[in-house]
């Protein structure tokens, strides 16, 4: 491999890894704060937070790797232009096409890793993440009712239970803020139930006392009940979305428009990166007095527009507004044709 190729690959990969780590750390810090907030609100068990962060790191990598590579390539070429190294290379008779070849050799393993993550690993990560969320939600339901401990929920409700015997909760005390006053619920026993989206507390043999803020005796009520159903606040406030199609293994995707759209969604990032790499040497070209970071924004905007158009195409396939085949692949062909035209015009001017 020529020295120029090794130099470009080494510099690009170094910036690529650093950019990936920085962007990943920023995204995970925001996700960690939202997960900790959900745990503090009683919507999930604290023990599941770090496992969810680890699973979501894989998801973020699939999104960040193409962006980080584009930024790394443009930053590397921009520095070479600023330091006049590209001028020296061109003066030695080395054509710009060698920059493209070096970047393609650098992007190929990144695209292969993207395909492996998107097609084989990411669906399993989504399934594990969903199962872990459901388990954490169920565990959080029991953590709320630690014996002889007052717990404050996210809407201000205060819950206390005296004991837990054979999975049944005993001696309930619940204080709630009503729209125009307050209420207290006392119950002899209860149990936790409900669905994955909502948690319910089923109380038995209790009393409810309610009064207004001005302590109006005519609006103060006290009644007893044999059975009551109390919905726990914030039970469905887990962060993240539950998209079932993304959980399907790639080997099980069929020929329906929805499945073909999902297949294209998983393969598009790698295809977009390898195609967009062809135009990076053209986008990174700069004049002698221009800064090394001046071409980063146009290159980033162009790639972001490319990716978003691919997403719109896959959504149109799901809505039966676009034929599944060629589907979003026609956009890859159009972008490749534009890049080849740009290279042809560049070589004609040169």
């Amino acid at each position: 491999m020529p020295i120029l190729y090794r130099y470009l690959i080494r510099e690009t990969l170094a910036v690529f890894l650093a950019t990936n780590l920085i962007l990943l750390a920023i995204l995970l810090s925001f996700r960690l704060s939202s997960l900790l907030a959900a745990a503090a609100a009683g919507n999930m068990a604290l023990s599941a937070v770090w496992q969810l962060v680890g699973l979501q790191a894989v998801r973020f990598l699939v999104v960040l790797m193409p962006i980080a590579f584009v930024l790394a390539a443009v930053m590397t070429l921009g520095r070479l232009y600023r330091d006049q190294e590209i001028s020296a290379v061109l003066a030695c008779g080395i054509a710009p096409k060698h920059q493209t070849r070096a970047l393609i050799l650098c992007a190929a393993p990144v695209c292969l890793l993207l395909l492996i993550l998107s097609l084989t690993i990411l669906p399993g990560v989504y399934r594990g993440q969903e199962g872990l969320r459901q388990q954490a939600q169920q565990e959080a339901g029991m953590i709320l009712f630690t014996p002889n401990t007052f717990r404050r929920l996210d809407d201000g409700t205060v819950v206390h239970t005296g004991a837990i015997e054979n999975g049944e909760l005993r001696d309930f005390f619940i204080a709630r803020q009503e729209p125009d006053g307050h209420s207290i619920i006392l119950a002899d026993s209860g149990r936790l139930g409900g669905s994955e989206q909502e948690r319910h507390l089923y109380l038995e043999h209790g009393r409810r006392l309610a009064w207004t803020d001005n302590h109006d005796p005519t609006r103060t009520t006290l009644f007893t009940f044999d059975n009551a159903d109390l919905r726990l606040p914030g039970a469905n406030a887990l962060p993240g979305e539950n998209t079932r199609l993304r959980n399907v293994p790639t080997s099980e995707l069929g020929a329906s428009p929805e499945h073909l759209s999902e297949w294209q969604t998983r393969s598009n990032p790698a295809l977009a990166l390898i195609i967009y790499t062809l135009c990076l040497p053209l986008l990174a070209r700069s004049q002698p007095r221009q800064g090394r970071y001046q071409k980063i924004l146009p290159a980033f905007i162009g790639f972001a527009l490319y990716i978003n158009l691919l997403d719109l195409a896959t959504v149109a396939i799901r809505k039966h507004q676009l034929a599944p085949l060629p589907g979003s692949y026609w956009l890859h062909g159009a972008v490749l044709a534009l890049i080849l035209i740009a290279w042809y015009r560049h070589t004609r001017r040169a």
Side-chain angles (χ1 to χ4, degrees), residues 159-181:
V159 180
H160 178 275
T161 182
I164 300 179
E165 300 176 0
N166 299 323
E168 190 174 72
L169 308 168
R170 299 284 185 180
D171 301 328
F172 265 105
F173 170 84
I174 301 174
R176 306 188 69 179
Q177 177 74 39
E178 304 293 344
D180 57 349

Side-chain angles (χ1 to χ4, degrees), residues 67 70-71 74 272 276 279-280 283 295-310 331 335 338-339:
I67 298 174
V70 170
L71 296 179
V74 175
Y276 199 74
C279 71
L280 290 180
L283 294 176
K295 296 303 181 69
I296 290 180
L297 185 59
F300 174 77
I301 292 177
F303 188 68
L305 181 62
Y306 186 7
I307 292 295
N308 279 279
L309 287 176
L310 289 173
L331 185 59
V335 173
L338 290 175
I339 293 174

Side-chain angles (χ1 to χ4, degrees), residues 328-342:
S328 62
Y329 293 136
W330 69 267
L331 185 59
H332 293 298
V335 173
L336 181 59
L338 290 175
I339 293 174
L340 293 178
I341 292 173

Side-chain angles (χ1 to χ4, degrees), residues 208-234:
R208 181 181 184 272
L209 173 64
W211 67 94
T212 58
D213 291 330
N214 58 2
H215 300 282
D216 185 358
T218 61
R219 300 183 62 187
T220 300
T221 59
L222 173 63
F223 63 88
T224 61
F225 58 85
D226 291 329
N227 297 280
D229 180 359
L230 178 65
R231 181 184 180 276
L232 295 181

Side-chain angles (χ1 to χ4, degrees), residues 265-276:
T265 299
R266 298 178 186 184
S267 60
N268 276 338
L271 291 175
L273 178 59
I274 199 70
I275 291 174
Y276 199 74

Side-chain angles (χ1 to χ4, degrees), residues 196-208:
E196 297 174 359
Q197 289 75 29
E198 292 185 353
R199 289 200 305 269
H200 289 259
L201 186 59
Y202 302 104
L203 303 177
E204 298 178 355
H205 308 297
R207 299 163 300 281
R208 181 181 184 272

Side-chain angles (χ1 to χ4, degrees), residues 55-78:
L55 290 175
Q56 292 184 0
V58 180
R59 173 189 173 188
F60 290 149
L61 273 177
V62 175
V63 178
L64 293 177
M65 285 174 62
I67 298 174
F69 185 86
V70 170
L71 296 179
V74 175
M75 290 173 66
T76 300
L77 292 176

